[in-house]
Amino acid sequence: MKSWPRFAKARAANPIPVATYMTGTVYVALGGVMGLLGLVDALLGEDARGFFVGAGLGLSLGMLLRRLGSPQAEPRRAEALLTVAGLWIMVPLLGAIPFWISGGLSYLDALFEATSGFSTTGATILADFNQFSYGLFFWRSLSQWFGGMGILLLFIVVLPHLALAGRQMFFAETTGVQKQQLTPKLHQTASYILRVYLLLTFVTLAAYLVTGVPLFEAITNTFSSVSAGGFSPNPQSFASYTPLTQWIAAGVMFLTGVNLLLQYRAIFGREYTALLRDPEFRAYALIVLVVGLLMATVLYARHDYDLEPALRHAFFQTTSIITGTGFASADFAQWVIPAQTLLVMLMFIGGSAGSVGGSIKVIRWLIIGALVRRELQRALHPQAVLPLRVGNKNIGEDVMRSVAAFITLYVSLFALGVLVMGILEEDFVVAFSASAAAIGNVGPGLGEAPPPGPMAHYGHLHPISKAVMIFQMWAGRIELIAVFSLFTPELWRRLRA
């Protein structure tokens, strides 16, 4: 088909053809999904205007962007970084429209809710759960399911047209460590991960239904569980479900923090010892076990919990917070300070690399631990040549520099959030926990602002505080490097070149 001259000229002058094309592709897909949800909402007699407006904008802008972009171009590193960072903010900008028009929220609050969804954070500004229709609750949970592994769905669809572009953008999103692949073709790797993700989705849904969770809540909670998201249509989160459902959810959340490639090898490749051979998995499992037992001891000794409820709530909240899911089986804002301290500590650990969990990730802490151990040995043996090792693998100096840069950026952005929100909210605990929950994509926080705790909302925050959390959720989802690269003049010079 012959292109219109103006479109051909625009494509020739476009310095980011792949970024434009991929954003358009995602917008078309989201527009189609919102159109379907709008039809369902209309049939149910609910307000479907937001979905239809979002569908119209998504389809029209998406087709225009696809037309202006090019799937054949090979992106430079700068464009790959821009694509990753841009997608994760462009998607919530569109996804916020149903919350804004049909949900009765301000656009800032709607953007907060959408960013929290697609970044799988689970923080909400929703104070009244009767304010949302079934369609909006379904959309907010579905956004988390898309956010958890949606980028891989895009790679599977678009990779045949992008040659090596998908490989570059995969590495741009997983900047830092453990770029492990099962096959030389990235779309095959992505399809393997997607297979594990879908299997976990169907098994979780079946388990929730069997244990008595109502159908709609089972579906939406499944989307939020397997993505380590945390949104639930139930204002009490998992506190109103049976003990068996809570144990199952704890197991699912534990798996969301495990490297999905290792899970594929264990499940489909029948490498049953693949997990146990991995030092990061062993460290992750040990942290969950030790912290869970410590917390259970505190709850049993300091609260009116019997042994089984103490163990259940302790391991539920341990897996919920370390993976960044944010579900709650009890109001941990009412727990004693030692138990809350353990939960706050988990916010800064995170799951494994290659999982859908957020925060810093266990592998980075293992590398930092190995670095500290090496420097202590060097203090005693200054002339010794001491390689940096995690397990039986040597860690290159480039990886160490990447980890150091990541943690520096992470702590700096966290501290900036505490500073700004502390000044605006005049409550250090609220500022500290909100900043940690946002950048770690965890969701619930602590503090005295009503109502406190995991069933709380952030609707009472100052608009600037909400904007800061939106930025932190966005940056935390794509692990900071791609975001902060946007503020370097070198990236824009390379894009213009």
Side-chain angles (χ1 to χ4, degrees):
M1 182 181 291
K2 189 174 181 179
S3 299
W4 287 96
R6 63 178 182 275
F7 285 127
K9 184 177 181 180
R11 278 201 299 269
N14 185 2
I16 50 171
V18 174
T20 305
Y21 181 85
M22 292 193 73
T23 303
T25 300
V26 173
Y27 264 36
V28 168
L30 288 179
V33 172
M34 283 193 279
L36 291 175
L37 291 179
L39 290 174
V40 174
D41 254 15
L43 291 175
L44 293 176
E46 297 177 343
D47 184 358
R49 294 174 302 159
F51 286 117
F52 287 136
V53 171
L57 285 174
L59 292 171
S60 58
L61 288 175
M63 288 187 288
L64 176 62
L65 291 172
R66 280 171 59 91
R67 189 76 175 179
L68 294 175
S70 171
Q72 279 80 35
E74 176 64 21
R76 294 157 293 172
R77 181 70 175 176
E79 188 185 359
L81 289 168
L82 178 65
T83 302
V84 170
L87 272 175
W88 287 104
I89 192 60
M90 292 296 291
V91 167
L93 286 172
L94 178 65
I97 291 176
F99 300 132
W100 177 37
I101 296 177
S102 297
L105 303 178
S106 68
Y107 186 77
L108 177 63
D109 285 352
L111 181 60
F112 184 103
E113 200 77 5
T115 305
S116 179
F118 284 102
S119 65
T120 70
T121 302
T124 183
I125 51 80
L126 196 61
D128 182 7
F129 272 51
N130 295 320
Q131 184 177 348
F132 274 10
S133 65
Y134 281 105
L136 291 177
F137 277 121
F138 187 86
W139 174 240
R140 73 203 286 261
S141 292
L142 185 63
S143 69
Q144 295 198 319
W145 193 83
F146 283 153
M149 295 300 289
I151 196 71
L152 291 176
L153 292 172
L154 177 64
F155 287 156
I156 292 169
V157 173
V158 179
L159 265 177
H161 307 287
L162 290 181
L164 295 177
R167 182 185 303 273
Q168 285 185 274
M169 268 172 290
F170 178 77
F171 289 146
E173 190 187 35
T174 56
T175 305
V177 294
Q178 200 159 325
K179 302 179 181 71
Q180 180 183 9
Q181 290 181 255
L182 290 177
T183 69
K185 295 183 178 179
L186 183 61
H187 72 279
Q188 290 183 349
T189 303
S191 66
Y192 292 158
I193 294 174
L194 181 60
R195 195 180 302 181
V196 176
Y197 196 63
L198 291 174
L199 175 64
L200 188 58
T201 299
F202 289 122
V203 170
T204 302
L205 176 59
Y208 285 165
L209 290 173
V210 167
T211 56
V213 180
L215 177 61
F216 180 77
E217 294 184 23
I219 295 173
T220 50
N221 282 326
T222 294
F223 288 155
S224 299
S225 296
V226 300
S227 62
F231 275 151
S232 175
N234 192 317
Q236 297 301 310
S237 191
F238 271 66
S240 60
Y241 299 138
T242 65
L244 179 57
T245 303
Q246 293 175 1
W247 277 115
I248 290 172
V252 171
M253 289 187 290
F254 176 82
L255 291 176
T256 64
V258 178
N259 186 310
L260 291 175
L261 289 175
L262 288 177
Q263 292 190 60
Y264 177 87
R265 289 166 57 185
I267 298 171
F268 296 101
R270 298 183 180 180
E271 297 181 42
Y272 302 117
T273 62
L275 290 171
L276 295 178
R277 293 197 308 267
D278 183 63
E280 185 183 23
F281 173 78
R282 294 198 301 268
Y284 168 70
L286 183 62
I287 291 170
V288 171
L289 178 63
V290 172
V291 174
L293 290 175
L294 283 175
M295 196 176 304
T297 302
V298 172
L299 295 180
Y300 184 77
R302 302 285 298 275
H303 288 273
D304 295 329
Y305 287 117
D306 291 332
L307 181 59
E308 187 277 332
L311 288 168
R312 171 165 39 92
H313 291 307
F315 279 100
F316 186 101
Q317 293 308 153
T318 296
T319 55
S320 177
I321 299 301
I322 195 172
T323 60
T325 307
F327 283 140
S329 62
D331 187 358
F332 55 71
Q334 306 303 316
W335 290 356
V336 293
I337 296 300
Q340 293 184 15
T341 302
L342 289 171
L343 293 178
V344 171
M345 177 194 71
L346 293 173
M347 290 184 180
F348 293 91
I349 296 177
S352 304
S355 73
V356 294
S359 195
I360 293 175
K361 304 285 173 55
V362 172
I363 186 63
R364 290 192 176 96
W365 288 118
L366 290 178
I367 292 173
I368 292 297
L371 176 62
V372 171
R373 185 167 59 251
R374 187 181 70 173
E375 294 307 308
L376 292 176
Q377 291 175 334
R378 183 168 288 169
L380 299 174
H381 308 282
Q383 304 303 320
V385 178
L386 302 171
L388 191 68
R389 298 175 64 86
V390 173
N392 58 357
K393 294 181 179 179
N394 289 329
I395 303 297
E397 295 297 323
D398 58 332
V399 173
M400 186 184 69
R401 289 194 302 270
S402 175
V403 169
F406 175 87
I407 292 182
T408 301
L409 291 172
Y410 193 97
V411 173
S412 299
L413 184 56
F414 163 71
L416 180 62
V418 174
L419 175 63
V420 174
M421 286 188 276
I423 293 172
L424 294 173
E425 308 305 329
E426 299 184 4
D427 189 320
F428 177 76
V429 176
V430 168
F432 186 97
S433 62
S435 185
I439 192 172
N441 301 130
V442 178
L446 301 169
E448 297 301 325
M455 287 74 169
H457 62 85
Y458 293 94
H460 61 275
L461 295 185
H462 190 281
I464 296 178
S465 295
K466 294 176 184 177
V468 169
M469 290 187 69
I470 289 172
F471 183 86
Q472 288 179 311
M473 289 187 286
W474 170 49
R477 179 61 184 89
I478 53 179
E479 300 206 333
L480 301 179
I481 300 295
V483 169
F484 282 94
S485 68
L486 299 181
F487 298 96
T488 60
E490 176 65 19
L491 180 136
W492 299 103
R493 282 196 296 268
R494 287 180 176 271
L495 289 174
R496 289 195 300 266

